[in-house]
Amino acid sequence: MYTGNPARILFGCGSRARLAEEIGRLGRSHALVLSTPFQKTDAEALVASLGPMAAGVFAGATMHTPREVTEGALSAYNDHGADCVVSLGGGSTIGLGKAIARRNGADHIVVATTYAGSEVTNILGETENGIKTTVRGPDILPETVIYDPELTLSLPVAMSVTSGLNAMAHAVEALYAQDRNPITTMIALEAIQALRDALPAIVATPDNIEARSRALYGSWLCGSVLGMAGMALHHKLCHTIGGSFDMPHAETHAVLLPHTTAYTERGAADLLKPVADLFAGPSAGVGLYDFAVSLGAPLSLASLGFAEADIERAAELATLNPYYNPQPIELEGIRTLIRRAWVGTRPA
Ligand code: NAD
């Protein structure tokens, strides 16, 4: 079975200049522009460029889409008489745009500035009283996405690396997803190859616009397969470790990816062989680890502030509810995986 997620994509340097035209194309005329506090100045510049098509800025987006922030943004939406939302930013801002659209049916245009991939998925994670719940639905998928590689030039190298590896994790898991199909596999491999080529070039020359374009292209494809295929061990473990131990999102993905891949590879060596080949590694897990080393990515959970004393609880939480993975999930193996990731050892 194959179900594509319908979205209109504008890709290319300078494509942000077409935002007003895209708002009009949806039959809207008054956009509330969303951003994090960090990107407020960029959001204000976007509002200025939109002129009368902008209703105002709400610059309160934050990690994990807390419900109280969404309530505040909905009030701003109504107070400004907005008729659509524009998210300028990464997964945190896009999450807020999705939460608004889900509640009031607003059209949602994303101007993506990281590689996380949320802009092309129908998935929304929200938190209330510290508990994160994830929902899927067609009303969550943004109508239009603008990918302007020039907007990613300001993404620091370290964030570009971890955000790119976060994206790559979507594609790696899509390769062994239970509901994978030849289309998702084709897109996933193209995505991994694009990021494999682009990230080292960005590390070497951060303002290399061709590399920035290729990374954004790869992250679009990674987000696409995240929205089309079910995820397994890697995403569940990142969700547990990120959510229950308040760990940074992209960095946690970056550290865990080689280890979750090495674990799963024992049950899906044939499906992950193309990844081993792409990274010229003896295995996919080792190839991904060596790639992370070459990029200067964070390698250990310890370096991200994860306490050794929490390894046991994390392993227990991660194995509490059984779920699909090509290599069955069992406590001893997951404990060993987390310990290796905590130290940052090269997968065996
Ligand atoms: P983010 O959106 O939290 O951004 C991190 C910081 O980088 C913010 O301060 C942001 O303003 C800043 N930033 C963004 N783009 C920048 C740029 N070009 N230049 C300089 N600074 C920039 O980070 P993220 O990794 O994109 O998103 C993480 C969140 O997204 C998590 O909560 C995660 O759960 C969610 N997510 C959701 C999905 C989904 O499908 N629902 C997919 C991926 C991630």
Side-chain angles (χ1 to χ4, degrees):
M1 188 186 73
Y2 168 76
T3 309
N5 283 322
R8 178 174 163 85
I9 310 288
L10 277 79
F11 193 105
C13 290
S15 55
R16 63 190 181 281
R18 293 173 64 188
L19 177 58
E21 184 189 325
E22 289 303 313
I23 293 170
R25 193 178 167 278
L26 289 167
R28 307 294 167 192
S29 59
H30 223 41
L32 179 69
V33 177
L34 310 173
S35 76
T36 61
F38 185 76
Q39 287 176 291
K40 187 177 181 195
T41 312
D42 297 334
E44 285 167 347
L46 197 63
V47 163
S49 75
L50 285 176
M53 300 210 68
V57 172
F58 180 87
T62 185
M63 286 279 273
H64 307 310
T65 327
R67 282 187 198 240
E68 59 273 18
V69 173
T70 302
E71 298 303 324
L74 277 166
S75 298
Y77 184 96
N78 294 330
D79 293 348
H80 285 99
D83 61 7
C84 62
V85 280
V86 170
S87 296
L88 172 71
S92 296
T93 305
I94 297 163
L96 177 60
K98 287 175 168 179
I100 293 172
R102 183 160 177 260
R103 282 167 178 75
N104 68 7
D107 283 338
H108 182 194
I109 302 178
V110 175
V111 182
T113 66
T114 73
Y115 305 136
S118 175
E119 62 281 352
V120 282
T121 78
N122 54 7
I123 308 164
L124 168 63
E126 294 185 279
T127 44
E128 188 167 24
N129 302 326
I131 296 176
K132 189 165 182 174
T133 48
T134 302
V135 281
R136 272 184 189 255
D139 51 340
I140 291 169
L141 186 73
E143 275 67 25
T144 306
V145 180
I146 295 179
Y147 286 112
D148 187 335
E150 287 170 3
L151 295 176
T152 61
L153 288 169
S154 55
L155 200 59
V157 167
M159 268 180 70
S160 302
V161 165
T162 51
S163 190
L165 293 173
N166 177 191
M168 207 182 260
H170 310 329
V172 170
E173 286 234 289
L175 291 175
Y176 54 76
Q178 204 168 17
D179 56 355
R180 68 185 178 277
N181 58 59
I183 308 297
T184 54
T185 296
M186 180 179 69
I187 298 174
L189 290 175
E190 171 74 2
I192 295 167
Q193 190 164 355
L195 285 163
R196 180 207 64 180
D197 296 344
L199 295 180
I202 290 172
V203 170
T205 318
D207 61 355
N208 177 339
I209 194 67
E210 275 167 28
R212 289 286 183 182
S213 297
R214 192 143 169 76
L216 200 54
Y217 165 70
S219 72
W220 161 26
L221 301 185
C222 288
S224 300
V225 287
L226 171 65
M228 288 190 282
M231 298 288 114
L233 170 65
H234 175 80
H235 281 74
K236 305 269 185 203
L237 197 52
C238 287
H239 187 89
T240 302
I241 289 186
S244 304
F245 301 93
D246 198 25
M247 297 289 287
H249 179 82
E251 291 85 345
T252 302
H253 272 271
V255 166
L256 283 173
L257 182 60
H259 301 281
T260 52
T261 304
Y263 181 99
T264 300
E265 207 164 5
R266 285 187 267 145
D270 51 338
L271 298 172
L272 285 165
K273 172 83 168 49
V275 178
D277 293 345
L278 278 171
F279 291 97
S283 66
V286 171
L288 285 166
Y289 182 87
D290 292 346
F291 183 62
V293 171
S294 75
L295 296 173
L299 296 175
S300 71
L301 290 177
S303 72
L304 303 182
F306 190 83
E308 183 175 15
D310 284 333
I311 293 175
E312 186 61 35
R313 199 162 80 83
E316 280 167 13
L317 284 173
T319 50
L320 214 51
N321 301 311
Y323 52 84
Y324 163 80
N325 197 62
Q327 177 67 17
I329 307 295
E330 45 86 23
L331 182 61
E332 178 59 33
I334 297 298
R335 188 190 293 122
T336 306
L337 184 170
I338 299 174
R339 176 160 289 282
R340 295 188 76 92
W342 183 77
V343 177
T345 337
R346 193 172 188 245

